[in-house]
Amino acid sequence: TFLDADDELEKEMISICINKITEERSDLVLCKFSIINKNGNIEFVSGWKDNLKDVKKTSELIPQMFSYGISETVWGKIYKSDIAKKIKFVKGIWFEDSPYLFEYLFLSDNVCLVKDSLLKIHKRDTSITRRVIEEKRILDYYRVFKIELEIMKKYSNDIEVKNKVAKYYLNSLID
């Protein structure tokens, strides 16, 4: 799993997710997470949309990355190390989580979803994701887009998957 320095796992997060991987023979586990504001209160719970509760194939999650169906972060998930080690993070860009997760979904088969919030994400006003208008943010979005296009070309021969991703990606740019 991955964790940012100012975030924290719930006490049983690892054991719950490892049990799920073992029981369901999954390559990936997604759990919910709580966004904690500067006062220490839960602002909201996120991670994946409830209408995905019956999803079992990682291929079904690929379009969900671009329609806000799942969080495109690497945290809040447990990965199988033999698959995870095949992928490298792109250095020097913001939002490097998205291409990593995108490629992982192509390389894996099965997923299970945990409805419990097992991670606390501490929201900071100074974090990269809160910097709305900044040249690096805009340029790195473009770089991530190009990287994700290359990943899709590399792994997907399915025109339907490509069309869904393109549709959701364009809609996310408009929103």
Side-chain angles (χ1 to χ4, degrees), residues 31-42:
C31 67
K32 299 277 186 157
F33 53 84
S34 300
I35 303 297
I36 310 297
N37 65 22
K38 63 184 175 185
N39 298 324
N41 300 318
I42 295 175

Side-chain angles (χ1 to χ4, degrees), residues 14-65:
I14 301 294
S15 61
I16 289 169
C17 291
I18 295 296
N19 287 339
K20 283 287 199 183
I21 281 180
T22 305
E23 290 169 12
E24 299 189 28
R25 296 192 169 153
S26 296
D27 298 319
L28 178 66
V29 177
L30 276 70
C31 67
K32 299 277 186 157
F33 53 84
S34 300
I35 303 297
I36 310 297
N37 65 22
K38 63 184 175 185
N39 298 324
N41 300 318
I42 295 175
E43 215 167 270
F44 62 92
V45 175
S46 190
W48 52 272
K49 288 187 179 175
D50 291 336
N51 64 330
L52 299 176
K53 67 182 180 303
D54 297 323
V55 168
K56 297 290 182 199
K57 294 289 186 191
T58 54
S59 60
E60 296 175 71
L61 296 179
I62 291 169
Q64 297 300 323
M65 282 186 64

Side-chain angles (χ1 to χ4, degrees), residues 90-113:
V90 179
K91 293 184 181 185
I93 65 168
W94 293 352
F95 319 111
E96 71 277 9
D97 289 17
S98 183
Y100 184 95
L101 178 60
F102 194 50
E103 188 164 4
Y104 190 93
L105 293 176
F106 278 110
L107 292 173
S108 58
D109 293 314
N110 303 310
V111 64
C112 62
L113 305 169

Side-chain angles (χ1 to χ4, degrees), residues 70-136:
I70 65 168
S71 167
E72 57 189 55
T73 63
V74 293
W75 37 261
K77 299 161 184 74
I78 297 282
Y79 304 82
K80 277 194 157 176
S81 62
D82 62 326
I83 300 170
K85 289 178 181 177
K86 294 177 183 177
I87 309 165
K88 302 288 183 223
F89 282 96
V90 179
K91 293 184 181 185
I93 65 168
W94 293 352
F95 319 111
E96 71 277 9
D97 289 17
S98 183
Y100 184 95
L101 178 60
F102 194 50
E103 188 164 4
Y104 190 93
L105 293 176
F106 278 110
L107 292 173
S108 58
D109 293 314
N110 303 310
V111 64
C112 62
L113 305 169
V114 176
K115 65 179 168 72
D116 302 317
S117 176
L118 300 176
L119 180 65
K120 292 179 183 173
I121 305 299
H122 295 275
K123 186 172 139 184
R124 294 175 295 131
D125 293 336
T126 57
S127 76
I128 288 171
T129 57
R130 306 281 179 257
R131 300 179 198 170
V132 178
I133 303 297
E134 190 164 319
E135 183 178 5
K136 179 159 177 54

Side-chain angles (χ1 to χ4, degrees), residues 5-17:
D6 56 349
D7 301 331
E8 60 185 297
L9 302 175
E10 293 292 348
K11 185 178 178 185
E12 300 295 319
M13 192 259 200
I14 301 294
S15 61
I16 289 169
C17 291

Side-chain angles (χ1 to χ4, degrees), residues 62-68 72 95 98-99 102 138-149 152 161-175:
I62 291 169
Q64 297 300 323
M65 282 186 64
F66 304 99
S67 65
Y68 307 107
E72 57 189 55
F95 319 111
S98 183
F102 194 50
I138 295 165
L139 291 173
D140 283 356
Y141 267 135
Y142 175 70
R143 289 179 186 119
V144 165
F145 173 72
K146 285 177 54 177
I147 292 164
E148 288 172 345
L149 279 177
M152 195 162 49
V161 169
K162 288 181 178 181
N163 286 338
K164 278 184 184 177
V165 170
K167 174 186 157 195
Y168 289 131
Y169 204 97
L170 290 173
N171 285 341
S172 73
L173 292 174
I174 294 167
D175 287 342

